Amino acid sequence: MIAVDRGRYTCVRPDAGPDDPTITAMRARELGRKSVVVGDRVGLVGDTSGAPGALARIVRIAERGSVLRRTAEDDATTAEGRLERVVVANADQLVIVSALADPPPRTGFIDRCLVAAYDADIEPLLCLTKADLAGPEAVLGYYTELELPYVLIRPDSDLDALRALLAGRISVLVGHSGVGKSTLVNRLVPEAARAVGVVSAIGRGRHTSTSAVALRLPPTPGAKGDPGWIVDTPGVRSFGLAHVSAESLLHGFPDLVEATVDCPANCQHTADEADCALDAWVAAGKADPRRLASYRRLLASRSGEGDARGEAEHRGPGEGDQRGPDAPPAGS
C-alpha cells in the first residue's frame, strides 16, 4: 500500500512496473479496527484492474516485518503520549534528513530518530542537506563513536551516492520542515511533484507535505536490480518516544551501552544515580558527554520532566548565540 487519502487506499502489485496502473481500495469491514498504513502488504478482492472508477477491498494485512512508530509526546501518562502513530510499515531504512544550516541541525531530534530506528530494527542513514552553506564537522563529530552512515547533499550534487544507498530498499524519509526533504524527493523522483516550501526568515519551514506516500525510485542508467522505494513523510516538529521502553531507549545510544555493564542492579541511569557507571565512562573519555546529556534528557522527558518539542527546536551551532564557530551542535 503506497498512499491513503480519506478512506481510500492506493495499492500496487508486487510485480507491477512503473507504468502499470495503481489500484484504489477501501477497507473491508471484517478488518475491524486494524489500521492500514503506507508500506503494508495487503490482500485485495474485487476489481483490481486499476481502471478509472474501479474499487477493490482490502481483506487481509500481512504480518509486518518492521513498524516505525512515534508519539506526539514522550510521557505515556498523557493523552498525547498514549496516542501512538504508525509512520510506516515494512521499511528497512530510516533516512534522517537534516540541514546543516537554515535551519541549523538539531541533534536532539536526530537522537530521537535513531532511538525509533533501532527500536523498530530499521537501519538509520543520516542525510545532511545544504552542505553548500555549512560543513558537517560539528554534527559528524557528535556521532563519531556510532559509525553512523551519512551522505552530504548540495544543490549541485548528482545524488549517485544517495541512490546507491537507497537501491533495493524501502526507505522512509523523516525531517523537520524546511530541511529540504521535499526538494530532495523531487530530485530523486521528478514526477512526484511534491510541494516545496520556502523557509521563513527565522529559519522555520512550513509543512510542505501532509501525508506519507511511497514513491518508486526510477531506474538508474547502467544499474541493475531494484532501485528501491522511498516513503516521503510530513515535516515533523517532534518525534515522541512514549512507545519505547526505558531499556530500549538506551539502544539508541550504542556508544553508552557497554558502560552499563558496571552499573548496579536496577540502575535507572539518571543523574541522581550516584553509582551509575555512565558518568565514569564519559569522564574516562570513552563517550561524548553531550551524548550522555541527550540520553538523560530523553529519560527525564519520559517521566514528564522534559519538553520534547522544546528539545527538537534547539538552535544549531552558532545560530543566534555566542558560542562561536567551533561550538558543538545544539539539541545535543
Side-chain angles (χ1 to χ4, degrees):
M1 206 270 290
I2 62 172
V4 57
D5 180 33
R6 290 170 293 186
R8 292 294 185 266
Y9 301 84
T10 303
C11 308
V12 294
R13 298 180 184 276
D15 57 351
D19 297 325
D20 290 341
T22 58
I23 302 168
T24 301
M26 61 182 296
R27 286 165 43 94
R29 289 183 178 179
E30 51 262 40
L31 287 179
R33 298 177 63 86
K34 290 183 179 178
S35 64
V36 187
V37 301
V38 170
D40 269 328
R41 299 181 177 95
V42 299
L44 300 175
V45 299
D47 191 339
T48 60
S49 66
L55 187 63
R57 286 190 303 133
I58 298 174
V59 295
R60 186 179 68 258
I61 304 171
E63 183 178 354
R64 294 165 174 169
S66 68
V67 181
L68 179 66
R69 300 180 174 92
R70 76 178 182 93
T71 54
E73 291 186 0
D74 291 328
D75 188 356
T77 64
T78 66
E80 291 80 3
R82 289 191 297 270
L83 184 59
E84 186 177 302
R85 299 183 184 276
V86 176
V87 179
V88 65
N90 297 313
D92 47 34
Q93 183 167 239
L94 178 64
V95 182
I96 307 165
V97 184
S98 174
L100 288 169
D102 192 27
R106 274 82 165 174
T107 53
F109 176 78
I110 297 173
D111 286 346
R112 289 172 172 277
C113 292
L114 290 174
V115 169
Y118 292 133
D119 183 67
D121 197 22
I122 298 173
E123 295 184 19
L125 170 65
L126 184 58
C127 181
L128 299 172
T129 62
K130 306 185 183 182
D132 57 315
L133 301 181
E137 293 78 15
V139 175
L140 297 181
Y142 177 74
Y143 293 107
T144 296
E145 299 299 323
L146 272 66
E147 298 182 356
L148 180 64
Y150 71 92
V151 61
L152 299 178
I153 304 296
R154 298 176 176 83
D156 58 350
S157 298
D158 57 20
L159 302 186
D160 287 350
L162 177 58
R163 287 193 178 95
L165 294 167
L166 299 175
R169 294 186 160 199
I170 299 175
S171 303
V172 53
L173 278 64
V174 297
H176 284 300
S177 294
V179 298
K181 180 171 59 64
S182 291
T183 300
L184 183 62
V185 169
N186 284 335
R187 292 185 62 194
L188 289 167
V189 189
E191 64 272 22
R194 302 295 282 175
V196 178
V198 178
V199 178
S200 68
I202 60 172
R204 292 182 181 179
R206 298 194 300 262
H207 288 257
T208 56
S209 304
T210 58
S211 60
V213 59
L215 302 165
R216 187 196 305 271
L217 289 166
T220 301
K224 297 181 180 179
D226 177 15
W229 289 76
I230 57 173
V231 180
D232 188 18
T233 62
V236 295
R237 295 189 182 278
S238 63
F239 209 107
L241 299 172
H243 61 286
V244 180
S245 68
E247 180 179 356
S248 294
L249 193 67
L250 184 62
H251 295 161
F253 296 82
D255 45 333
L256 302 178
V257 171
E258 186 178 346
T260 61
V261 174
D262 296 325
C263 284
N266 301 317
C267 179
Q268 300 300 306
H269 309 309
T270 64
D272 296 332
E273 293 278 356
D275 297 323
C276 180
L278 289 173
D279 296 284
W281 184 261
V282 168
K286 296 180 179 180
D288 192 317
R290 296 170 297 174
R291 294 281 293 162
L292 176 57
S294 180
Y295 170 58
R296 283 178 168 165
R297 269 200 303 274
L298 291 181
L299 284 175
S301 64
R302 283 184 55 82
S303 59
E305 299 173 12
D307 180 359
R309 175 167 296 190
E311 178 181 338
E313 291 297 324
H314 279 327
R315 294 171 297 185
E319 178 72 14
D321 58 31
Q322 305 299 318
R323 291 175 294 163
D326 298 324
S332 55

